[in-house]
């Protein structure tokens, strides 16, 4: 095999060790001193023109490996070459030949689409005109929005722009670190169609992803866990060999979750709700109710109007017309009361990373008006439940993503709100950790807390009691997962979502 990337015995360590509760239960290292090995004696190679997956649970070392191969980070030990160039001695040569989409949004949100593209072209010593033919098939899909600021784009359009920026200098190797996190299933499928088109031009692609359908698009995958390569095989072989991580058993659904103590009163009531921005109706006449203790999935493609609707329900935005009540309070006139009786976890991580676990809990409990004695007692109980007792004084920024999200959810319901709003709470998290997160959701629902959740994982949609799917600002379908699959004659929720989302007529972007 003609190799584009060769990694030999790479190791990289960082400062303080953060051990997981799972590793402690298994007898693994639980000390919180010394250093943590992000990568430990990692070796693999990637053939020219290959689509290669780098997968594994949160904190496995994937991003560290990407940064080393892109010459943004130096390894402690070992060697690596990209296109035949050494990542230490010949980093300037490598930077001319690679494109990189990091896990976090890589564009400048205050620059327009066109300005971002021009900036990256200049950064790589080329021009948009010189590189246009290499990105035409992708960039032409968003070029009519060239004067729009990148921060105002939907997830699917951001993907296309970021990929165009990464390809403008015509690289031979493309590194993609979870490029589709937070993007709806239809846009994800379109993104991978674009990647396979790049393969036809013999561009080598190395990608990480938490989505199993994307893992299967790779020719080979390396599975990383705790900084070590556990296996390199075809996707199906790896997913089967480590199915406890990638395909954990489903959660048993409690069919009575919408009836708590015999009650089924509505805690959300929405009637003909509209939110207009000029002539554009982001939310266009929607009506629905949600019961106490119900897990209600609020789905839709990027730009369909979900987040705008959620902002109105949580008191962050005012409707143009229509009515709504949340926890008994009017969304027009009593939005401050609503904020006191709900929990909220946003798409972007909602805790303070430079505060400790215990300090975050205390801060948010105080904001919700809880008393000191109650805060102390509940904090001890929560730390025990999450198995965080040994990490209460750790900075939140040092925790793995899955831990952060479980903590953020627990903090959002710490004051026992009537409703908790979760805006894509598990984006970028591996399947096993997502399952643990949903166990927390089920436990909250069993206590009578209503869970209003958006997600782009269609397996999570199956866990909801009922689902609504928005298309073009309207609710296109609503019902239980089984009802939606039966009525639309689709085999699973992924097909249901795709079937409805492809009927969109307006440009959400």
């Amino acid at each position: 095999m003609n190799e584009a990337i060769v990694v030999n015995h790479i190791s990289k360590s960082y400062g303080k060790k953060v051990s997981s509760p799972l590793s402690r239960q298994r007898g693994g290292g639980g000390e919180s001193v010394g250093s943590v090995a992000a990568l430990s004696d990692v070796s693999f190679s990637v053939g020219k023109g290959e689509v290669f997956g780098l997968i594994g649970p949160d904190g496995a070392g994937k991003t560290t490996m990407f940064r080393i191969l892109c010459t943004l980070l130096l390894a402690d030990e070992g060697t690596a070459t990209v296109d035949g160039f050494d990542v230490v001695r010949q980093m300037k040569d490598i930077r001319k030949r690679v494109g990189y989409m990091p896990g976090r949004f890589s564009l400048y949100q205050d620059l327009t689409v066109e300005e971002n593209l021009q900036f990256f072209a200049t950064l790589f010593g080329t021009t948009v005109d010189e590189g246009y033919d290499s990105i035409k098939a992708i960039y032409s899909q968003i070029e009519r929005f060239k004067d729009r600021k990148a921060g105002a784009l939907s997830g699917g359009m951001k993907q296309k722009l970021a990929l165009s920026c990464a390809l403008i200098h015509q690289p031979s190797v493309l590194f993609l670190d979870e490029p589709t996190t937070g993007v709806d299933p239809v846009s994800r499928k379109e993104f991978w169609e674009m990647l396979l088109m790049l393969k036809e031009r013999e561009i080598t692609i190395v990608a990480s992803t938490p989505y199993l359908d994307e893992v299967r698009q790779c020719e080979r995958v390396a599975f990383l866990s705790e900084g070590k390569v556990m296996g390199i095989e075809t996707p199906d072989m790896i997913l089967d060999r480590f199915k406890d991580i990638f395909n954990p058993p489903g959660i048993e659904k409690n069919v009575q979750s919408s009836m708590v103590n015999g009650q089924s009163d509505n805690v959300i009531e929405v009637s003909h709700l509209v939110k207009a921005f000029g002539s554009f109706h982001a939310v266009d006449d929607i009506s629905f109710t949600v019961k106490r203790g119900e897990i209600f999935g609020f789905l839709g493609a990027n730009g369909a109007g979900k987040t705008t609707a959620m902002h109105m329900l949580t008191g962050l935005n005012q409707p143009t017309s229509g009515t709504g009540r949340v926890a008994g309070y009017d969304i027009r006139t009593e939005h401050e009361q609503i904020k006191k009786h709900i929990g909220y976890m946003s798409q972007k991580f909602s805790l303070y990373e430079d505060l400790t676990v215990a300090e975050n809990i205390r801060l948010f409990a105080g904001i919700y008006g809880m008393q000191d004695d109650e805060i102390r007692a509940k904090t001890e109980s929560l730390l025990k439940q999450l198995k965080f007792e040994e990490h209460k004084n750790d900075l939140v920024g040092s925790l793995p993503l899955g831990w952060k999200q479980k903590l953020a959810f627990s903090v959002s319901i710490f004051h026992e709100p009537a409703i908790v709003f979760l805006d894509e709470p598990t984006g970028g998290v591996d399947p096993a950790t997502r399952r643990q997160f949903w166990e927390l959701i089920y436990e909250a629902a069993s206590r009578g807390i209503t869970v209003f959740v958006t997600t782009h994982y269609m397996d999570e949609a199956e866990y909801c009691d009922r689902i609504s799917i928005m298309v073009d600002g309207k609710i296109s379908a609503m019902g239980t997962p089984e009802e939606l699959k039966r009525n639309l004659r689709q085999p699973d929720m992924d097909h249901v979502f795709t079937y409805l989302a492809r009927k969109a007529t307006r440009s959400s972007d």
Side-chain angles (χ1 to χ4, degrees):
M1 179 171 62
N2 197 3
E3 294 167 331
I5 299 168
V6 179
V7 174
N8 286 315
H9 306 292
I10 287 287
S11 294
K12 177 67 180 179
S13 295
Y14 295 108
K16 185 178 180 181
K17 183 170 186 177
V18 180
S19 62
S20 69
L22 184 59
S23 68
R24 293 200 307 277
Q25 290 169 4
R26 292 175 175 174
E31 299 82 7
S32 57
V33 296
S35 62
V36 57
L39 296 170
S40 180
D41 195 26
V42 172
S43 298
F44 64 89
S45 62
V46 181
K48 285 188 182 295
E50 185 176 15
V51 180
F52 187 86
L54 199 59
I55 64 173
D58 304 313
K62 303 183 296 292
T63 296
T64 297
M65 178 55 70
F66 276 113
R67 292 176 64 81
I68 289 172
L69 293 176
C70 290
T71 73
L72 300 174
L73 189 67
L74 292 176
D76 297 332
E77 299 176 17
T79 62
T81 61
V82 177
D83 251 9
F85 295 94
D86 185 88
V87 294
V88 177
R89 293 182 290 102
Q90 299 168 300
M91 61 175 60
K92 289 184 178 179
D93 296 292
I94 289 176
R95 290 175 182 177
K96 295 175 183 176
R97 290 167 169 80
V98 303
Y100 179 43
M101 281 180 64
R104 296 185 178 181
F105 185 36
S106 57
L107 304 172
Y108 291 91
Q109 301 203 40
D110 290 334
L111 297 182
T112 66
V113 168
E114 185 175 46
E115 288 169 343
N116 266 282
L117 194 61
Q118 290 172 341
F119 172 79
F120 280 93
T122 303
L123 194 65
F124 288 111
T126 185
T127 66
V128 174
D129 288 341
E130 286 180 34
Y132 187 82
D133 286 345
S134 65
I135 64 168
K136 181 178 179 180
I138 300 167
Y139 185 65
S140 61
Q141 300 177 45
I142 59 172
E143 192 167 11
R144 65 186 184 279
F145 303 105
K146 65 181 181 179
D147 295 324
R148 182 176 297 184
K149 288 188 177 181
L153 301 177
S154 74
M157 288 192 71
K158 288 176 182 177
Q159 274 185 321
K160 293 169 185 175
L161 177 56
L163 186 56
S164 297
C165 291
L167 293 171
I168 190 63
H169 60 299
Q170 304 177 58
S172 56
V173 182
L174 184 61
F175 293 100
L176 308 170
D177 190 1
E178 297 190 2
T180 58
T181 294
V183 179
D184 69 80
V186 173
S187 295
R188 290 197 297 107
K189 288 182 176 70
E190 292 175 350
F191 184 83
W192 275 85
E193 288 170 1
M194 291 186 288
L195 292 186
L196 296 179
M197 178 181 65
L198 296 176
K199 174 180 168 54
E200 295 175 3
R201 289 162 40 190
E202 297 187 345
I203 294 176
T204 303
I205 298 171
V206 181
S208 68
T209 176
Y211 296 100
L212 302 192
D213 57 327
E214 295 183 356
V215 171
R216 292 189 175 95
Q217 297 280 0
C218 300
E219 294 165 78
R220 290 186 305 141
V221 294
F223 171 50
L224 282 176
S225 181
E226 297 183 348
K228 298 179 180 180
V229 173
M230 310 304 291
I232 302 176
E233 297 175 271
T234 64
D236 286 341
M237 293 174 71
I238 288 291
L239 294 179
D240 180 66
R241 184 175 162 193
F242 300 101
K243 58 187 176 184
D244 58 324
I245 294 173
F246 294 106
N247 190 25
I251 302 174
E252 184 125 356
K253 182 182 286 188
N254 176 9
V255 295
Q256 299 298 322
S257 62
S258 63
M259 294 284 292
V260 181
N261 297 327
Q263 300 179 36
S264 61
D265 50 306
N266 294 330
V267 292
I268 299 177
E269 297 177 335
V270 172
S271 179
H272 302 292
L273 202 62
V274 173
K275 181 62 179 180
F277 298 94
S279 61
F280 176 72
H281 285 200
V283 174
D284 192 6
D285 193 16
I286 64 173
S287 301
F288 63 91
T289 60
V290 182
K291 294 180 175 62
R292 180 171 181 257
E294 187 173 19
I295 302 174
F296 187 80
F298 199 57
L299 310 186
N302 294 110
K306 307 185 305 299
T307 299
T308 301
M310 188 178 288
H311 283 174
M312 288 188 283
L313 296 178
T314 54
L316 297 175
N317 212 332
Q318 290 293 296
T320 303
S321 62
T323 62
R325 299 188 73 83
V326 173
Y329 298 100
D330 191 298
I331 63 173
R332 284 181 171 277
T333 61
E334 299 175 295
H335 38 85
E336 291 304 319
Q337 285 296 321
I338 288 173
K339 292 175 185 177
K340 295 178 182 178
H341 290 83
I342 65 171
Y344 182 68
M345 183 176 167
S346 69
Q347 277 176 293
K348 296 179 179 178
F349 182 53
S350 51
L351 300 179
Y352 291 93
E353 299 211 344
D354 55 353
L355 296 181
T356 66
V357 169
E359 287 169 343
N360 266 284
I361 295 172
R362 187 162 59 248
L363 171 65
F364 283 94
I367 290 173
Y368 287 123
M370 296 177 65
Q371 299 301 309
D372 289 346
D373 289 347
E374 184 183 12
I375 292 173
R376 278 194 293 271
K378 290 200 68 174
T379 296
E380 290 181 13
S381 175
L382 176 59
L383 292 172
K384 185 176 181 180
Q385 177 191 358
L386 296 177
K387 299 183 174 66
F388 276 16
E389 299 103 316
E390 294 181 18
H391 300 284
K392 67 179 181 180
N393 295 320
D394 288 356
L395 293 178
V396 164
S398 71
L399 301 178
L401 176 61
W403 288 29
K404 292 177 182 179
Q405 289 175 303
K406 286 186 284 188
L407 177 62
F409 173 71
S410 299
V411 168
S412 73
I413 61 170
F414 195 71
H415 58 304
E416 295 292 323
I419 307 158
V420 61
F421 290 87
L422 307 176
D423 193 359
E424 296 177 30
T426 57
V429 178
D430 65 85
T433 304
R434 288 197 292 112
R435 186 190 189 282
Q436 294 169 11
F437 188 93
W438 273 84
E439 288 173 345
L440 295 176
I441 289 178
Y442 270 46
E443 196 275 332
S446 72
R447 304 203 311 267
I449 296 176
T450 298
V451 180
F452 190 99
V453 58
T454 71
T455 179
H456 287 318
Y457 291 99
M458 291 302 102
D459 60 324
E460 293 185 350
E462 300 275 3
Y463 293 151
C464 297
D465 295 316
R466 283 192 304 142
I467 295 166
S468 78
I469 300 180
M470 288 190 72
V471 178
D472 291 347
K474 299 177 181 291
I475 292 178
S476 180
M478 184 182 298
T480 67
E482 290 305 318
E483 287 171 346
L484 294 176
K485 288 183 284 188
R486 181 174 63 250
N487 294 342
L488 297 174
R489 299 180 181 179
Q490 300 296 324
D492 53 41
M493 283 306 303
D494 184 68
H495 282 80
V496 168
F497 184 95
T498 301
Y499 173 77
L500 293 173
R502 291 198 185 280
K503 291 186 173 184
T505 57
R506 80 182 187 191
S507 173
S508 64
D509 312 303

